[in-house]
Each structure stands twice: as C-alpha cells, then as structure tokens.
Amino acid sequence: MKSIGIIPARYHSSRFPGKPLALIAGKPMILWVYERAKKATQLTDLIVATDDEKIFTTVSMAGGKALMTSPSHETGTERVYEAASLYISPQDIENTIVINIQGDEPLIDPELINHIISAFKDPSIQIVTPIRKVFKKISEHCPHEVKVVKNLNNKILYFSRSNIPFCRDAENTLLFPFYIHIGIYAYRFTVLEKIVKLPPTELEKTEKLEQLRWLEHGYEIYAIETNYESHAVDTPEDIKIIHQLIASNQ
C-alpha cells in the first residue's frame, strides 16, 4: 500500500491573502507544513498542490515537490484529487491512500499522519479523519470548532458547528465532553475519485461543511482519537500565536 500526502495551497483567501507564504520565524508557512509532514515515516511521498507560481517556486527551491493545479477549484478536496490524478500511476490506483494535509497547520504532528495511515490496514475503511476529546462548558460554544458524534465502532454519525450531542440535563457551569474535529482527511484513491464528483447536499450547504456531503451520500468516515491540538492559521493574528508556541517549545 502506498500513501501520498498532498497539501493543497491556494494563494487567494478572503481573510488572509497569500497565507501559504506568510513568514513564521523567517520561513514561509507552507514550508513549515511540508517539513513537518515530511517527518511522517508512513508517507510514501509528499506533494504541495497549488494554483500559484510563487508557492510552487517556494516549495521547489526548498527541495520539495509541488504541482500546479487549476485555479478554479471550489474545495481543497478537488485540488487534492487533481494532484493525485496527475501523480499516481495507473498501476497504483487500487492500492494508494491519499492524505489531505491542511496547508495552514504549520505545527502538524507527523505521528498523527502515521496514525491515520495505519488505520487503513482494515480493508473496509474508506475515509479517515482525527478527532480530539475536550471538556468545555456548554456556554463556551464556538462555531469555528466543528463538533463530532460517532457510533460505538468509531464511525462518524454527524459533524456540526453546533454543540452535539445536546445534553438536556447538563448545567452551564459544568464541564461536558465534546469531540472536536481536526481537519485532516485520508481516503483510498478509489473513494476520493468518487466523492469528489458528488453533488452538494442540503446539510453541507447549511453547515458549510463539505464532509457532510460524503455522509449524506452514504460514505463512512472512520474517526481516530488523538491528543493533538490543532493550531490552524486563519488570520494574520494567528501567526502571533504560532510564534509563541514555537518559542515556548524551543
């Protein structure tokens, strides 16, 4: 089984234009992501999929692999699929796992990537994504944190920006366990090839969560639990937080 990590990186962003090239401790963020992900020993290969020549050149000049992809993609999944289709040879289609590694996670844990890949030893698994258990007061709800509920076999039942499950008898002063989604996905290439062609669904449009499209169309998403705490960069202000985390680790 081969495992290809693909980092989608688009230049234009409404909240943070040029985000992949934002400097963190003097190094572009996309290189932080690439170099961290490269440490995952279970990865067969790693590629940045971009629509911007500056990002392509930055990665290539640093010795990384990059592919130019269409600027018209609406989702990172579409960009990942195009790159995978260009890169994976026909004889490897049936035995390749594709890992969609977010380009705004400069402190991504390579062991998390290894853990995700290992889940595919079970031949029945189609899609894998990580979740983390947190304890919060119900009143501390944040719609930017996507919550998850799963069944007893670790198959995800639903993703939501709302607090799920709703605990009818919980007091707002008490801590309550929630599962928070971490936005990394892995798919068998044969499954990715199918889900990228699915039409959008009403739940997806309502919650603005693409993964609900896959669930509504009947695909199973397997959850692996991790202690990794995501530190995604959404705005320029988040760069300051990453700087502080890097400084504290040093």
Side-chain angles (χ1 to χ4, degrees), residues 225-243:
E225 192 167 345
T226 178
N227 292 323
Y228 169 71
E229 185 175 356
S230 174
H231 294 287
V233 174
D234 293 318
T235 67
E237 289 70 29
D238 293 328
I239 295 288
K240 298 176 184 178
I241 297 173
I242 300 298
H243 272 293

Side-chain angles (χ1 to χ4, degrees), residues 72-88:
S72 62
H73 292 310
E74 295 185 3
T75 67
T77 309
E78 292 176 4
R79 193 173 308 284
V80 165
Y81 172 67
E82 181 189 355
S85 299
L86 292 170
Y87 196 78
I88 297 172

